C-alpha cells in the first residue's frame, strides 16, 4: 500500500485517542520486549515505549513513506518489513501491540493464532482496529467500487474488510490460551468542520488500496463520486461520524 504521511497525520489527534484506551489495559513490567506491528510513522510507538519501564521496542512497517518519519529513542528501533514476514521469524515477545494496522491483513482466523504463537508465556496482546464492516464511510466506498464504471476499472476487484465480530475474536483468543480478556467496541466521534472532512479522513486510509490499482484519471473520478456520496449522507456541517473501533486485550 502507498501511504501519504501528511494526509494520514491530518487526523493525528483523532487517531491517537484509541491508542490511549488500548495502552491503558497493558500491565507494565520492567524490561518488556515489545513488538509494534504496523507502526506507521512510529510516533505512537515512541509514546508506547515512554509509558513502559525500560522496554526494548521494535516497530515494523512495510511503508517506505511512513518509516522515514519514525523518531529515534533509546532501546527503540524501526525496521521495514511486512507483518507476515515478521511473524514468520522465530523471535518471541512479552508484548505484541498493534494500533490500526491488522485490518489490512486477511484471514484473521489464521492471523491471530500466528500472532499469539509469537508471545512469550505470561505475555500480552493489545490490538486496536477500525470496525470497517460497520463504519458508514467504508460501506459507502465498498458499495461504490462495485458499481460501474469502477468495477470495470478495477476488474471487479474489491477489498472487503477481514475484521471479525467481537464474539469471533473472543473465541480465537480464548481457544489460544487468552486470559483476562478485555474485548469491546467503542465509538470515537469525528466532527466535520468543513464539507470534505470525512472524505479526507477515509482518503488517508481505506481509499489508498484502490488508488494503487487505478489510473490517475480513474482514481480522480472515483474520488469525486465518493465525495458526492459522502456529502449526500452528511449534508450539513458540522456533522458527526460515529467511527467504531475494536479494542482487544489478552494475557497468555
Amino acid at each position: 500500500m502507498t501511504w501519504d504521511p501528511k494526509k494520514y497525520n491530518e487526523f493525528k489527534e483523532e487517531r491517537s485517542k484509541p491508542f490511549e484506551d488500548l495502552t491503558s489495559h497493558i500491565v507494565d513490567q520492567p524490561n518488556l520486549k515489545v513488538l509494534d506491528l504496523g507502526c506507521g510513522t512510529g510516533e505512537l510507538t515512541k509514546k508506547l515505549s515512554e509509558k513502559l519501564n525500560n522496554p526494548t521496542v521494535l516497530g515494523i512497517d512495510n511503508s517506505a513513506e511512513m518509516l522515514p518519519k519514525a523518531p529515534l529513542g533509546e532501546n527503540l528501533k524501526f525496521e521495514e518489513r511486512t507483518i507476515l514476514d515478521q511473524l514468520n521469524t522465530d523471535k518471541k515477545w512479552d508484548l505484541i501491540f498493534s494500533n490500526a494496522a491488522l485490518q489490512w491483513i486477511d484471514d484473521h482466523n489464521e492471523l491471530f493464532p500466528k500472532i499469539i504463537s509469537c508471545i512469550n508465556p505470561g505475555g500480552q496482546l493489545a490490538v486496536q482496529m477500525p470496525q470497517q464492516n460497520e463504519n458508514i464511510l467504508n460501506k459507502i466506498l465498498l458499495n461504490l467500487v462495485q458499481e460501474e464504471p469502477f468495477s470495470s476499472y478495477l476488474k471487479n476487484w474489491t477489498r472487503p474488510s477481514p475484521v471479525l465480530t467481537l464474539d469471533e475474536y473472543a473465541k480465537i483468543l480464548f481457544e489460544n490460551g487468552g486470559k483476562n480478556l478485555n474485548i469491546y467496541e467503542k465509538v470515537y466521534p469525528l466532527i466535520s468542520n468543513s464539507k470534505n472532512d470525512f472524505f479526507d479522513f477515509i482518503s488517508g486510509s481505506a481509499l489508498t488500496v484502490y488508488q494503487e490499482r487505478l489510473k490517475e484519471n480513474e482514481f480522480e473520478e472515483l474520488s469525486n463520486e465518493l465525495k458526492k456520496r459522502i456529502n449526500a449522507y452528511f449534508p450539513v456541517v458540522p456533522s458527526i461520524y460515529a467511527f467504531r473501533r475494536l479494542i482487544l486485550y489478552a494475557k497468555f
Side-chain angles (χ1 to χ4, degrees), residues 168-234:
E168 289 171 310
Y169 286 117
K171 184 173 185 290
I172 292 170
L173 296 178
F174 176 77
E175 291 182 350
N176 286 274
K179 308 291 184 185
N180 297 58
L181 303 186
N182 207 330
I183 303 172
Y184 58 93
E185 178 180 284
K186 183 174 178 178
V187 170
Y188 294 86
L190 299 177
I191 309 298
S192 62
N193 295 309
S194 61
K195 188 175 180 181
N196 292 321
D197 276 357
F198 295 149
F199 169 80
D200 289 341
F201 180 77
I202 197 170
S203 71
S205 54
L207 190 56
T208 59
V209 296
Y210 296 102
Q211 183 176 9
E212 291 180 336
R213 290 173 174 261
L214 293 172
K215 297 175 183 176
E216 185 175 348
N217 65 302
E218 294 170 347
F219 180 69
E220 183 177 0
E221 187 178 350
L222 175 65
S223 297
N224 289 337
E225 182 59 29
L226 182 59
K227 283 180 187 177
K228 289 179 185 177
R229 297 198 183 190
I230 292 173
N231 289 335
Y233 192 91
F234 299 99

Side-chain angles (χ1 to χ4, degrees), residues 79-94:
E79 296 178 3
E80 186 175 341
R81 186 179 302 122
T82 70
I83 289 173
L84 294 178
D85 284 345
Q86 176 62 46
L87 297 177
N88 284 328
T89 68
D90 295 330
K91 193 163 185 182
K92 295 191 179 289
W93 306 85
D94 301 317

Side-chain angles (χ1 to χ4, degrees), residues 147-182:
E147 298 177 11
E148 291 292 354
F150 309 111
S151 59
S152 292
Y153 293 162
L154 292 160
K155 299 179 175 58
N156 294 314
W157 182 87
T158 61
R159 210 280 170 173
S161 173
V163 175
L164 304 174
T165 66
L166 291 176
D167 287 355
E168 289 171 310
Y169 286 117
K171 184 173 185 290
I172 292 170
L173 296 178
F174 176 77
E175 291 182 350
N176 286 274
K179 308 291 184 185
N180 297 58
L181 303 186
N182 207 330

Side-chain angles (χ1 to χ4, degrees), residues 9-43:
N9 277 334
E10 285 179 5
F11 294 87
K12 181 168 63 175
E13 182 178 347
E14 289 82 357
R15 297 187 195 278
S16 67
K17 289 177 182 177
F19 167 86
E20 298 297 334
D21 287 332
L22 182 60
T23 55
S24 72
H25 299 294
I26 295 171
V27 178
D28 188 17
Q29 296 174 343
N31 309 315
L32 290 176
K33 294 180 180 178
V34 181
L35 174 64
D36 184 359
L37 295 173
C39 63
T41 62
E43 185 175 353

